[in-house]
């Protein structure tokens, strides 16, 4: 019975998949742990739609339970994981820096071991134009700049950045 | 905080306390479930048999045994494990024999550590059964009172690294809600969040640094047809993944603009450790991934269930398993969920931002999102400018989310950059945003996802008995709590009628039916659309009381100027019908039509909804030239999950009235 229902539904979804559209382009210019290269990598759009419709969103092997240490996987305090965080959260980080506060600032301040997320927010807001000189800077460059900014201000006391 | 530390200590203790019991065991090198020379080990095996541990709830769950599915238990009471990775079993008969697996596990725990490891990434100890199966060990140690000094392993670097990285203090089950405008999120998704012990470092929650645990299929670029086939027939391997929670937030909250509901689980430290240790065991194996039954929601629940032998969770699910079903099972289990929280999507945050604005401010938000250089009048003060710029940045993200993530050299990226530059130039922090959770939309408040009904229909001068069945999930007249207000999705529904003249008639069959309405507003011009595959009974001059298969769809606009409780919509429809007796194109059985449709939905209360729809299709060069259908429904859920439905339909040659009692389950 279950098999029957399953197959029937499968056929139906095939029909929908056909209507739903074609694959999106696979042009990722960024490296590092950016959202584009990590989450949307290696999956044509149609497969992604089917996958998620049926609860099978797939993440890549970086995140296997047994894969051990990987920059894009670690959320322990430190420079590498702070950079990975900035790359993956780039769009939200940009907004929060411009706003001088926000969830990504709080979490970043914590990853970097800074003493006050409020001070970090205020400082990065002042540095917005240096971090984001144009929209074309890559995720990796943004992450390098943010970390340099934090390091350049000893009063922020971001002790976990090396 | 204290509890969290205690639980880390507990897990490490379990494995590290075993110092000093080196290779005093001398195992014969027989590959097949060797008996131990050590009488103490065989005594444990015997004791486990006496206690019938192999058939205890926890053992059966740790090994993912199910009764009577295909395989070992095919013809009766036997067990088969759903795990498919061969290394998950220490006995060659382990997949079908809980007792053999338990015997083999106990013996393997006391086997000497191999001299060198099979792979470069792990130490010899990591490959030992104690390090591979820490949850089995936790359970058996407690049940049998194993003396840690007997054990041959003094530490498990791989597992300890994993545990330290997760730094678990509690578990939260996450539900990423459905959002039909994005077909990829039609049914929602569940995953687990492992909350780090140390997430309040500087006085604020930093949950983005927690870990998300996902169960998903490993897909390697198959084409869609192969993909779909493999997906439903279990030909993909499903594995557990561990990724920083921020990836999940960015993907679901931002890119897909889905709200997330969070269910904090009340687990004691020992239960939590058991789940995490079991996750490590599962991380080394895989399961056949069935999209509709043994899917992400199922396996995540199976993982949690390991720690709660007193609760029945998985056994309360029926196929197909929807993410919402697992949430309902979870929230109805006594004492398991101690808190429910809500994380608004970017779209919800944006709505909150513009809610309190005046018309001028809203206009600036709209203008800035398309022309970021729009000047502000001098009278607009800084706080208002900040509010407007903050909302405009969110609006650009909502409209071009994936584009922004994928490329940096686009018009959208340029606009966002300019808006943010202007915002950063005002050197003040924005106020943080607070969104009140829409509790009546929490998934566990929704009606059951399957539906059945009995009733009577009157038409053609007769009265018929009506039977209504739906596999899942929701239409626009169903009770609205727990579901998106203006979205409907139905998978396999059938309404059959038995008429006194002996005719059994398929009144309305829906194979896959989606209606996604988006109320037009200043910031959201998204079109509304619908798709229908199935069939229904036609009544016109060419085809009286005949059932025709139907594939159709429409695109248009919806409006809800006074709130989502009162919405109306208009669409342009196309439809294809097939019945042997139709005088369609070239006098064949195929009819093609196009024309307008419209509807009106009135939600008097979440439990009392009226839906009026009509469709008029021109049938060029066909008989009868045009056809219409108009429907009216008034549905009242008088007790939770029980509803009365009054329905009427008009077609060219027949009118029909129906009354039905519906039960959702």
């Amino acid at each position: 019975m279950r098999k029957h229902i399953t197959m029937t539904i499968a056929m139906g979804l095939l029909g929908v998949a056909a209507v739903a559209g074609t694959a999106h382009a696979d042009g990722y210019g960024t490296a590092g742990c950016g959202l584009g290269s990590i989450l949307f990598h290696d999956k044509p759009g149609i497969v992604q739609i089917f996958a998620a419709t049926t609860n099978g969103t797939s993440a890549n092997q970086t995140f296997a339970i047994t894969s051990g240490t990987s920059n894009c996987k670690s959320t322990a305090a430190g420079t590498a994981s702070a950079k990975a965080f900035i790359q993956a959260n780039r769009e939200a980080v940009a907004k929060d820096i411009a706003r001088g506060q926000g969830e990504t600032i709080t979490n970043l301040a914590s990853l970097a071991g800074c003493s006050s997320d409020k001070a970090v927010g205020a400082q990065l807001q002042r540095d917005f134009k240096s971090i984001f000189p144009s929209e074309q800077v890559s995720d990796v460059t943004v992450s390098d700049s943010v970390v340099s900014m934090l390091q350049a201000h000893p009063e922020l006391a971001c002790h976990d950045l090396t | 905080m204290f509890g969290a530390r205690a639980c880390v200590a507990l897990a490490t203790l379990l494995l590290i306390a075993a110092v000093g019991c080196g290779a005093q065991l001398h195992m014969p090198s027989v590959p097949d479930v060797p008996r131990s020379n050590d009488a103490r080990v065989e005594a444990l095996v015997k004791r486990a048999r006496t206690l019938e541990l192999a058939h205890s709830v926890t053992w059966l769950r740790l090994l993912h045994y199910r009764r009577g599915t295909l395989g070992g238990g095919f013809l009766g009471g036997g067990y088969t494990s759903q795990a498919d990775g061969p290394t998950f079993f220490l006995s060659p008969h382990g997949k079908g024999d809980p007792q053999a697996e338990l015997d083999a596990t106990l013996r393997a725990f006391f086997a000497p550590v191999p001299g060198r490891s099979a792979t470069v990434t792990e130490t010899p100890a990591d490959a030992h059964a104690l390090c591979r199966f820490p949850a089995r060990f936790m359970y058996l140690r407690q049940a049998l009172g194993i003396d840690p000094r007997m054990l041959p392993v003094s530490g498990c670097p791989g597992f300890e690294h994993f545990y330290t990285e997760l730094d678990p203090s509690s578990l939260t089950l996450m539900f990423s809600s459905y959002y039909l405008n994005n077909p990829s999120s039609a049914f929602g998704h569940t995953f687990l969040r492992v909350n780090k012990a140390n997430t309040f470092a500087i006085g604020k929650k930093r949950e983005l640094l927690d870990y998300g645990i996902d169960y998903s299929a490993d897909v390697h670029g198959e084409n869609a047809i192969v993909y779909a086939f493999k997906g439903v027939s279990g030909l993909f391997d499903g594995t557990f993944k561990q990724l920083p929670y921020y990836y999940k937030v960015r993907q679901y909250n931002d890119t897909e603009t889905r709200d997330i509901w969070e269910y904090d689980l009340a687990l004691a430290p020992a239960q939590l450790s058991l789940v995490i240790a079991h996750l490590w065991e599962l991380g080394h194996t895989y399961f056949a991934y069935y999209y509709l039954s043994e899917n992400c929601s199922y396996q995540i629940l199976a993982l949690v269930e390991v720690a709660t032998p007193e609760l029945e969770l998985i056994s309360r699910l029926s196929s197909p398993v929807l993410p919402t079903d697992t949430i309902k099972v979870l929230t109805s289990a006594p004492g398991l969920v101690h808190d429910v929280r809500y994380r608004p999507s970017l779209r919800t945050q944006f709505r909150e931002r513009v809610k309190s604005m005046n018309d001028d401010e809203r206009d600036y938000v709209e203008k800035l999102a398309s022309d970021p250089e729009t000047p502000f009048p001098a009278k607009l003060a800084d706080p208002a400018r900040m509010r407007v710029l903050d909302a405009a940045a969110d609006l650009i993200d909502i409209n071009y989310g994936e584009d922004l993530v994928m490329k940096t050299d686009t018009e959208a990226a340029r606009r966002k950059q300019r808006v943010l530059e202007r915002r950063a130039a005002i050197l003040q922090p924005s106020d943080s945003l607070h969104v009140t959770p829409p509790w009546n939309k929490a998934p566990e408040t929704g009606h059951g996802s399957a539906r059945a009904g009995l009733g009577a229909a009157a038409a053609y001068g007769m009265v018929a008995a009506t039977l209504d069945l739906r596999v899942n999930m929701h239409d626009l007249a169903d009770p609205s709590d727990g579901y998106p207000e203006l979205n409907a999705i139905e998978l396999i529904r059938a309404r059959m009628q038995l008429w006194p003249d002996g005719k059994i008639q398929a009144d309305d069959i829906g194979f896959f039916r989606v209606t996604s309405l988006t109320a037009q507003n200043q910031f959201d011009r998204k079109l509304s659309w619908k798709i229908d595959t199935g069939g229904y009974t036609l009544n016109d001059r060419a085809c009286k009381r005949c059932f025709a298969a139907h594939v159709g769809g429409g695109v248009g606009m919806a409006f809800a100027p006074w709130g989502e409780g009162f919405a109306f919509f208009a669409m342009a429809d196309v439809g294809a019908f097939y019945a042997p007796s139709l005088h369609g194109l070239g006098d064949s059985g195929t009819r093609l039509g196009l024309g307008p449709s419209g509807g009106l939905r009135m939600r008097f209360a979440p439990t009392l909804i009226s839906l009026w729809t009509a469709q008029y299709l021109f049938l060029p060069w066909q008989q009868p030239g045009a056809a219409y259908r108009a429907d009216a429904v008034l549905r009242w859920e008088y007790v939770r999950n029980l509803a009365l439905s009054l329905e009427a339909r008009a077609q060219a040659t027949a009118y029909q009235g129906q009354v039905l009692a519906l039960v959702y389950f």
Side-chain angles (χ1 to χ4, degrees):
Chain A
M1 183 60 190
R2 177 197 273 188
K3 284 253 151 70
H4 279 295
I5 294 181
T6 320
M7 286 313 295
T8 328
I9 295 176
M11 305 295 288
L13 286 175
L14 275 178
V16 173
V19 179
T22 48
H24 60 68
D26 281 25
Y28 321 113
T30 53
C33 303
L35 207 57
S37 55
I38 292 288
L39 281 190
F40 306 129
H41 184 63
D42 201 23
K43 268 184 302 175
I46 187 121
V47 166
Q48 204 175 317
I49 286 168
F50 186 85
T53 306
T54 49
N55 316 315
T57 33
S58 174
N60 73 20
Q61 284 306 316
T62 313
F63 301 121
I65 300 275
T66 52
S67 69
T69 340
S70 141
N71 279 348
C72 303
K73 193 179 166 187
S74 174
T75 64
T79 307
S81 48
K83 285 186 178 175
F85 176 86
I86 295 162
Q87 290 158 19
N89 290 279
R90 186 238 173 98
E91 296 302 324
V93 164
K95 281 193 294 192
D96 285 352
I97 290 180
R99 290 168 182 169
Q101 65 89 33
E103 189 183 33
T104 64
I105 302 282
T106 308
N107 283 263
L108 173 63
S110 167
L111 267 178
C114 314
S115 56
S116 154
D117 61 335
K118 209 173 156 184
V120 168
Q123 184 57 51
L124 292 179
Q125 189 182 43
R126 280 194 288 275
D127 293 335
F128 182 87
K129 278 290 279 180
S130 320
I131 299 165
F132 298 98
S134 94
E135 67 278 7
Q136 306 212 11
V137 287
S138 74
D139 296 347
V140 173
T141 309
V142 168
S143 69
D144 290 343
S145 311
V146 171
V147 167
S148 311
M149 294 298 166
L150 295 179
Q151 285 167 329
H153 293 277
E155 72 279 11
L156 296 177
C158 300
H159 293 303
D160 288 322
L161 296 179
T162 49
Chain B
M1 285 295 275
F2 177 75
R5 287 217 185 98
C7 104
V8 176
L10 173 83
T12 359
L13 181 96
L14 277 164
L15 291 147
I16 298 175
V19 186
C21 42
Q24 74 244 55
L25 304 170
H26 301 284
M27 296 285 297
S29 55
V30 185
D32 195 30
V33 209
R35 280 175 175 274
S36 174
N37 287 343
D38 191 327
R40 291 179 300 175
V41 175
E42 289 309 309
L44 284 174
V45 171
K46 205 175 157 198
R47 204 164 120 68
R49 284 182 174 256
T50 314
L51 293 170
E52 294 188 358
L53 293 188
H55 295 95
S56 66
V57 172
T58 301
W59 183 256
L60 294 175
R61 288 182 181 177
L62 281 171
L63 273 297
H64 297 256
Y65 288 118
R66 302 278 173 247
R67 241 176 210 286
T69 30
L70 288 177
F74 177 46
L75 283 174
Y79 289 97
T80 311
S81 172
Q82 290 175 335
D84 292 308
T87 57
F88 191 66
F89 307 102
L90 293 163
S91 158
H93 311 294
K95 190 168 166 71
D97 187 344
Q99 185 67 60
E101 184 60 20
L102 193 144
D103 294 354
T105 300
L106 275 172
R107 286 170 186 144
F109 281 167
F110 296 95
V113 179
R116 56 200 172 95
S117 59
T119 65
V120 286
T121 52
E122 48 180 28
T123 66
D126 284 324
H128 192 272
L130 280 168
C131 294
R132 192 69 98 207
F133 301 105
R136 294 188 201 179
F137 175 67
M138 286 179 188
Y139 171 63
L140 292 176
R141 177 179 184 266
Q142 203 209 6
L144 294 169
I146 297 174
D147 179 357
R149 285 169 307 180
M150 284 173 67
L151 301 169
V153 172
S154 59
C156 304
F159 175 62
E160 283 155 28
H161 174 80
F162 165 76
Y163 203 96
T164 321
E165 204 173 50
L166 288 179
D167 191 15
S169 71
S170 61
L171 286 181
T172 304
L173 196 116
M174 315 294 286
F175 174 79
S176 178
S177 64
Y178 12 60
Y179 180 63
L180 289 191
N181 272 329
N182 176 349
S184 71
S185 49
F187 293 107
H189 177 65
T190 52
F191 60 102
L192 211 52
R193 195 178 70 207
V194 181
N195 304 308
K196 281 194 162 187
N198 189 19
T199 41
F200 289 88
I202 44 181
K204 282 177 191 168
K205 183 108 176 89
R206 36 164 218 168
E207 66 187 17
L208 291 183
L209 307 180
D210 293 336
Y211 278 102
I213 302 297
D214 227 352
Y215 174 76
S216 60
D218 296 331
V219 186
H220 307 286
E222 279 87 353
N223 76 52
I225 305 285
V226 174
Y227 185 91
F229 176 76
K230 283 179 134 183
V232 289
S233 45
L235 293 173
F236 283 122
D237 293 341
T239 55
F240 284 85
K241 311 276 190 330
Q242 165 202 353
L243 69 172
Y245 178 53
Y246 57 73
Y247 281 106
K248 293 287 175 195
V249 170
R250 298 285 83 92
Q251 180 185 3
Y252 294 141
N253 266 174
D254 295 3
T255 311
E256 299 178 358
T257 65
R258 301 158 70 171
D259 298 330
I260 295 177
W261 291 91
E262 312 182 356
Y263 299 84
D264 290 341
L265 304 183
L267 296 180
Q271 290 175 300
L272 175 67
S273 297
L274 190 71
V275 171
I276 302 298
H278 186 51
L279 181 60
W280 176 252
E281 298 176 350
L282 295 179
H284 287 84
T285 192
Y286 57 88
F287 295 78
Y289 193 106
Y290 292 91
Y291 279 117
L292 299 150
S293 49
E294 287 148 37
N295 54 24
C296 67
S297 294
Y298 179 98
Q299 296 295 9
I300 290 289
L301 201 62
L303 170 61
V304 170
E305 196 185 53
V306 159
T308 58
E310 71 286 358
L311 297 177
E312 290 290 336
L313 302 177
I314 285 291
S315 60
R316 292 174 57 203
L317 294 173
S318 57
S319 180
V321 177
L322 296 185
T324 44
D325 295 337
T326 63
I327 299 294
K328 283 173 189 159
V329 164
L330 205 71
T331 50
S332 61
L336 186 51
V337 171
H338 72 78
D339 206 2
V340 182
R341 281 174 292 118
Y342 171 76
R343 172 183 271 273
S345 70
L346 189 58
R347 186 182 300 272
T348 309
Q349 292 174 40
F350 174 77
R351 283 186 187 148
E352 185 69 28
R353 285 186 194 281
V354 296
K355 206 164 79 179
S356 56
M357 287 184 179
N358 62 39
D359 286 348
D360 278 353
E361 290 173 355
R362 285 205 187 102
D363 286 345
Y364 279 114
V365 172
E366 193 189 2
K367 281 184 201 143
L368 281 169
S370 52
D371 176 11
E373 308 293 350
T374 306
F376 288 131
K379 67 175 166 53
L380 200 68
D382 274 353
R385 290 180 185 205
M386 286 157 56
R387 277 202 304 276
V388 165
L389 287 162
D390 287 354
D394 278 357
L395 185 57
I396 296 170
D397 268 350
I398 290 168
N399 290 338
Y400 305 99
E402 195 162 334
D403 198 36
L404 290 168
V405 166
M406 300 311 244
K407 301 185 211 90
T408 53
D409 57 345
T410 59
E411 175 62 19
R414 196 189 61 77
R415 287 182 200 164
K416 184 174 170 185
Q417 169 77 15
R418 271 305 290 150
V419 167
L420 293 185
E421 282 172 8
R422 292 180 70 181
R423 170 64 191 86
I426 308 169
L427 290 172
Q428 292 171 51
S430 305
D431 293 333
S432 41
L433 191 71
H434 297 286
V435 178
T436 310
W439 294 113
N440 63 331
K441 291 299 177 191
E444 71 275 18
T445 63
H447 61 74
S449 59
R451 190 179 81 184
L454 275 177
Y460 322 116
M462 300 180 281
V463 173
T466 302
L467 176 69
D468 176 89
L469 287 171
R470 184 175 71 197
V471 175
N472 59 54
M473 165 165 119
H474 180 74
D475 70 37
L476 288 177
D478 285 327
S480 64
D481 274 355
Y483 288 90
E485 198 65 47
L486 296 178
N487 291 331
I489 180 164
E490 292 182 286
L491 212 52
I492 307 187
R493 56 162 286 172
R495 186 166 289 182
M496 307 298 294
Q497 295 171 331
L498 173 61
W499 293 92
D501 57 5
K503 196 169 176 186
I504 295 176
Q505 201 165 308
D507 177 56
D508 193 357
I509 305 280
F511 194 69
F512 187 84
R513 194 172 282 182
V514 179
T515 306
S516 174
L517 305 179
T518 306
Q520 295 286 310
N521 68 50
Q522 189 174 8
F523 303 109
D524 202 346
R525 307 281 187 204
K526 201 165 280 160
L527 294 177
S528 298
W529 55 273
K530 64 182 176 189
I531 292 177
D532 180 17
T533 60
Y536 59 87
T537 296
L538 298 180
N539 280 295
D540 54 49
R541 280 189 291 107
C543 194
K544 286 196 175 78
R545 217 181 148 193
C546 69
F547 177 81
H550 169 235
V551 176
V555 177
M557 281 196 247
F559 305 88
W562 306 286
E564 287 189 322
F566 184 90
F568 52 95
F569 55 95
M571 294 191 192
D573 286 10
V574 291
F577 298 83
Y578 176 80
S581 53
L582 283 179
H583 299 285
L585 288 172
D587 213 32
S588 72
T590 304
R591 175 186 278 187
L592 274 181
L594 70 168
S597 73
L600 172 66
R601 180 180 179 273
M602 290 166 285
R603 187 204 58 199
F604 306 110
T607 52
L608 183 64
I609 292 168
S610 187
L611 179 69
W612 299 63
T613 53
Q615 182 192 50
Y616 189 92
L617 290 180
F618 295 99
L619 307 168
W621 310 291
Q622 301 163 75
Q623 288 300 320
Y628 74 90
R629 171 181 167 169
D631 288 88
V633 177
L634 178 66
R635 195 165 295 162
W636 173 42
E637 186 191 38
Y638 52 95
V639 186
R640 184 165 161 77
N641 281 327
L642 289 177
L644 271 179
S645 194
L646 293 174
E647 309 187 6
R649 185 186 309 153
Q651 290 164 303
T653 58
Y655 297 94
Q656 173 175 283
Q658 272 190 110
V659 53
L660 288 134
L662 301 172
V663 51
Y664 302 89
F665 59 100

